[in-house]
Amino acid sequence: MTTRAPSTWPLFSLLGCLALASPALAQGPDEPYRYPDDEEEPSRTGRAPPEDKPYAYPDDEDRPESSRPRRRSARDSEYKDPDDFRRAERGEEEEKDFERMARLDDPNTGIAFEVLGGVMLLSSPRGQLLGDPQPAFGGRFTWEYGRLLNSEPLREALWLDARYGFVGQRDGTALVVGDVQRHYVSLAPAYELTFGEGSDYGVYAQVGGGIVYELSRLEVGGKLTPVEGIKPLIQYGVGLRGRTRLSATSNLRLTWRLELMRFRRGYQDDTSASLSAGIGF
């Protein structure tokens, strides 16, 4: 029996694989692949490009630096129009006609109804210094027309009164009795000075005019003789006015006044000291 020698080609193949694998094992750790553009940029400038540099468009490169658009800063972002802010900062802001919002942001209508009562000192034919005191009562309608002028100082300073008052007087003896009734109707604008900006209280002066209707009845021995007539009237005086808020969620207010008025009818003067109260909207 003859013994055959084993083949040597597998051995040479294994040795060849080991020889080729040794250079690959000696290679360093993996590195990111560098593209040609990345390799050329540092070599030109000698340093890495800035990270946040904006891309320069061709139009921007041709224009000078002063004409290029500026980037908005954090300070400019606080204003609706940064250009207006920068012009105002340089003192170049021009005068503009801004729309006044006095009428739009005011919830009050400026209307009030009041009842009044007090004492009327009637001019006396007997020459008394203060006149004949008689009880008087009436009512008035107030309209703050200054709110239509769209002016903040005059919004609550100007208002108008339509007033009615009644005074009755009866005097005489058992044989002769005189009964007089007077109806005062007047329309008077007023100007008010409030106690500070936004105050609901103030003092006012008022001047106006109207008529007084007078009905006199003279009774002598049971026989009645009526006499009536109308005279022009001038009203003027001063007072204290308040508009106390009744609710924080509505425009309802308690309006009140303490006033001293003078009524000129013909050649006679009647003086009224009265207090009024009512509701305003």
Side-chain angles (χ1 to χ4, degrees), residues 57-123:
Y57 293 92
D59 295 340
D60 295 340
E61 294 177 354
D62 298 338
R63 289 186 296 179
E65 184 68 23
S66 59
S67 63
R68 295 181 184 180
R70 295 179 55 186
R71 298 179 61 185
R72 294 185 62 182
S73 62
R75 188 177 183 183
D76 292 343
S77 62
E78 299 177 1
Y79 300 88
K80 294 182 179 180
D81 192 349
D83 294 334
D84 290 344
F85 170 73
R86 285 191 288 269
R87 284 195 299 269
E89 219 176 15
R90 295 192 299 264
E92 301 176 359
E93 185 67 20
E94 299 179 355
E95 293 291 335
K96 296 182 179 180
D97 295 332
F98 294 98
E99 182 182 359
R100 300 184 181 275
M101 308 297 290
R103 288 185 298 177
L104 300 180
D105 59 2
D106 185 9
N108 297 316
T109 59
I111 295 177
F113 300 90
E114 296 178 6
V115 295
L116 59 90
V119 177
M120 180 75 79
L121 303 176
L122 297 174
S123 180

Side-chain angles (χ1 to χ4, degrees), residues 223-239:
K223 184 178 180 180
L224 186 62
T225 304
V227 178
E228 60 182 0
I230 296 177
K231 293 182 180 180
L233 174 70
I234 298 177
Q235 173 188 343
Y236 58 95
V238 295

Side-chain angles (χ1 to χ4, degrees), residues 138-159:
R140 66 168 140 236
F141 166 77
T142 302
W143 175 40
E144 298 177 1
Y145 67 91
R147 300 179 186 273
L148 301 179
L149 303 179
N150 203 22
S151 174
E152 190 69 22
L154 302 178
R155 184 168 58 93
E156 296 181 352
L158 298 178
W159 39 271

Side-chain angles (χ1 to χ4, degrees), residues 112-115 242 244 246 252-257 276-280:
F113 300 90
E114 296 178 6
V115 295
T244 306
L246 297 178
L252 192 64
R253 294 172 180 264
L254 172 65
T255 61
W256 55 269
R257 287 192 230 174
S276 65
I279 298 297

Side-chain angles (χ1 to χ4, degrees), residues 118-122 132-138 164-171 178-184 212-217 265 270:
V119 177
M120 180 75 79
L121 303 176
L122 297 174
D132 295 331
Q134 299 293 331
F137 60 90
Y164 167 77
F166 172 79
V167 177
Q169 184 180 19
R170 184 179 178 88
D171 197 4
D179 184 12
V180 180
Q181 297 179 358
R182 294 186 178 93
H183 302 266
Y184 299 83
V212 53
Y213 170 73
E214 183 174 336
L215 174 62
S216 300
R217 291 177 295 188
R265 50 181 179 91
D270 301 330

